[in-house]
Amino acid sequence: MWPWFFGGYAVFIAALVGYATHVALSRPDKQHRADAFRVLKLIWGTATGAGGLAAIAIRLHDLGLL
């Protein structure tokens, strides 16, 4: 039951990070780039923070690696 949830979570976070990175690197407007970098830092910090690490630990336990 749980493995599909964490796989979907990883894909969703990867898509958000990819889009924020694209905006941060490709926009000519300085304000848009600054906002995109802030969003990127927020998403990355949330995904790799306590909740993200707990999700990774649970997934590794389900796979028998932890």
Side-chain angles (χ1 to χ4, degrees), residues 1-15 55 59 62:
M1 179 173 142
W2 287 99
W4 65 268
F5 174 75
F6 293 115
Y9 175 76
V11 170
F12 181 69
I13 294 299
R59 179 70 174 135
D62 287 345

Side-chain angles (χ1 to χ4, degrees), residues 4-53:
W4 65 268
F5 174 75
F6 293 115
Y9 175 76
V11 170
F12 181 69
I13 294 299
L16 286 177
V17 167
Y19 185 71
T21 303
H22 166 70
V23 171
L25 295 176
S26 66
R27 296 290 181 182
D29 183 20
K30 185 176 181 178
Q31 184 60 39
H32 276 114
R33 286 193 314 265
D35 290 341
F37 275 117
R38 281 190 214 114
V39 169
L40 182 59
K41 286 183 354 186
L42 176 66
I43 294 168
W44 191 255
T46 302
T48 60
L53 291 178

